[in-house]
Amino acid sequence: MTDTSLAPTGRTTPAAARDLAVEMIDVNKWYGDFHVLKAIDLEVKKGEKIVICGPSGSGKSTMIRCINRLEEHQAGRIIVDGIELTEDLKRIDEIRRDVGMVFQHFNLFPHLTILENCTLAPIWVKKLPKREADEIAMHYLRRVRIPEQANKYPGQLSGGQQQRVAIARSLCMSPKIMLFDEPTSALDPEMVKEVLDTMVGLANEGMTMLVVTHEMGFARQVADRVIFMDAGQIIESNEPNAFFANPQHERTKLFLSQIL
Ligand code: ADP
Ligand code: MG
């Protein structure tokens, strides 16, 4: 083995060769003096579904926002689909195209129709002709089962419908990875299921997903792994049955006792 085959971390195999969608190596981030992410190591395989839970303020949003560079990390390495996140802006655009994100508050453009919300990025970022972008958008609106809402405005839809539009809008960019940040926590209880059902469908089709949620039924149903974060660290990571039946750390036990 020659030294030149070694990555700076001492790893010998590039992420792409190991079929990793996301690799975080000793990632640290600060907001001013506040150390928000502490030595995060995370490997996400292509097609893997990961549920991330943990108390409010533990760094869950910050961690997944680093994956599409909505936040910058200050130390360590983040490699997404074989591309390392650095200052190189051109490649950041590539990452943003490949990584879809769905937020707690749907973030639809209120002055655009549902269809226009879905075609905006495909037309302006991917430079697709409008007709093609419309076709793709209608395809995904059918998939989230609201094609009849295409010409309405977000304010005319229920929260659950708006969140399904947000998912369809992301899918219109053909992402390889989908990030979800508490996608159901702003919804009325009767709308949670329709959004979770859409996400389960996506999971079953093989999408790589990182989902911050406290919906533990969803975690049991689709997660390959559940990760528990506290105070900027990954405290525990396990497949769902073991995670719920036999949590290893006191902080995980305490957290689960509060939410289950
Ligand atoms: P979680 O999603 O687990 O609730 P966050 O990642 O949103 O946690 O936040 C982690 C910590 O970082 C919190 O203490 C929060 O107040 C702080 N924080 C989040 N965003 C910022 C910011 N832009 N500037 C300063 N502090 C922030
Ligand atoms: Mg959060």
Side-chain angles (χ1 to χ4, degrees):
M1 191 170 60
T2 63
D3 276 342
T4 51
S5 70
L6 284 172
T9 54
R11 289 161 194 266
T12 52
T13 320
R18 285 181 290 138
D19 254 356
L20 293 181
V22 178
E23 187 170 24
M24 301 179 95
I25 305 160
D26 197 17
V27 170
N28 287 272
K29 176 173 176 60
W30 290 262
Y31 288 122
D33 291 341
F34 179 60
H35 198 177
V36 60
L37 295 180
K38 299 172 187 160
I40 298 285
D41 284 308
L42 178 66
E43 289 188 351
V44 184
K45 294 192 195 74
K46 289 184 180 159
E48 201 173 12
K49 294 99 185 68
I50 295 191
V51 161
I52 300 155
C53 61
S56 179
S58 56
K60 306 179 297 295
S61 295
T62 303
M63 184 174 84
I64 65 166
R65 289 165 68 88
C66 282
I67 294 172
N68 66 352
R69 201 97 169 152
L70 287 177
E71 299 286 353
E72 281 181 29
H73 60 292
Q74 280 94 38
R77 303 177 68 200
I78 303 180
I79 300 150
V80 180
D81 201 33
I83 301 174
E84 177 146 9
L85 302 195
T86 61
E87 299 306 318
D88 182 348
L89 283 174
K90 185 174 166 293
R91 305 221 88 188
I92 301 299
D93 287 347
E94 270 177 62
I95 299 289
R96 295 245 171 95
R97 269 200 296 270
D98 286 349
V99 182
M101 178 138 189
V102 173
F103 303 87
Q104 179 176 1
H105 299 286
F106 335 122
N107 296 9
L108 299 175
F109 294 107
H111 59 292
L112 298 181
T113 66
I114 298 311
L115 186 66
E116 288 165 346
N117 265 280
C118 291
T119 58
L120 192 68
I123 289 173
W124 291 100
V125 180
K126 276 199 167 177
K127 312 289 182 204
L128 290 189
K130 182 175 178 309
R131 226 186 60 198
E132 194 179 331
D134 283 351
E135 275 171 25
I136 292 169
M138 289 309 300
H139 169 79
Y140 286 112
L141 287 173
R142 280 193 292 277
R143 239 183 69 185
V144 300
R145 300 196 316 281
I146 39 176
E148 71 285 355
Q149 310 292 341
N151 295 312
K152 292 191 184 164
Y153 289 86
Q156 297 173 283
L157 271 59
S158 73
Q161 289 174 323
Q162 290 189 56
Q163 193 58 301
R164 285 187 281 151
V165 171
I167 294 171
R169 177 177 62 172
S170 274
L171 294 176
C172 285
M173 292 294 280
S174 315
K176 294 176 179 160
I177 300 165
M178 286 285 289
L179 309 175
F180 293 85
D181 195 355
E182 305 207 30
T184 60
S185 56
L187 298 176
D188 291 333
E190 70 272 21
M191 290 167 193
V192 169
K193 185 174 181 302
E194 65 189 52
V195 171
L196 290 179
D197 285 348
T198 303
M199 292 167 62
V200 170
L202 200 55
N204 289 339
E205 287 166 25
M207 179 64 79
T208 305
M209 294 165 68
L210 283 93
V211 184
V212 176
T213 186
H214 293 161
E215 293 289 340
M216 293 300 137
F218 175 82
R220 285 179 194 276
Q221 194 178 349
V222 311
D224 297 304
R225 234 174 341 136
V226 182
I227 284 176
F228 174 71
M229 285 185 76
D230 193 17
Q233 291 177 301
I234 293 178
I235 302 290
E236 185 154 352
S237 165
N238 214 336
E239 56 91 15
N241 286 334
F243 181 87
F244 292 114
N246 193 17
Q248 299 297 300
H249 294 265
E250 284 310 316
R251 282 190 272 179
T252 318
K253 288 177 196 169
L254 177 65
F255 176 76
L256 289 175
S257 74
Q258 287 164 343
I259 65 158
L260 290 178

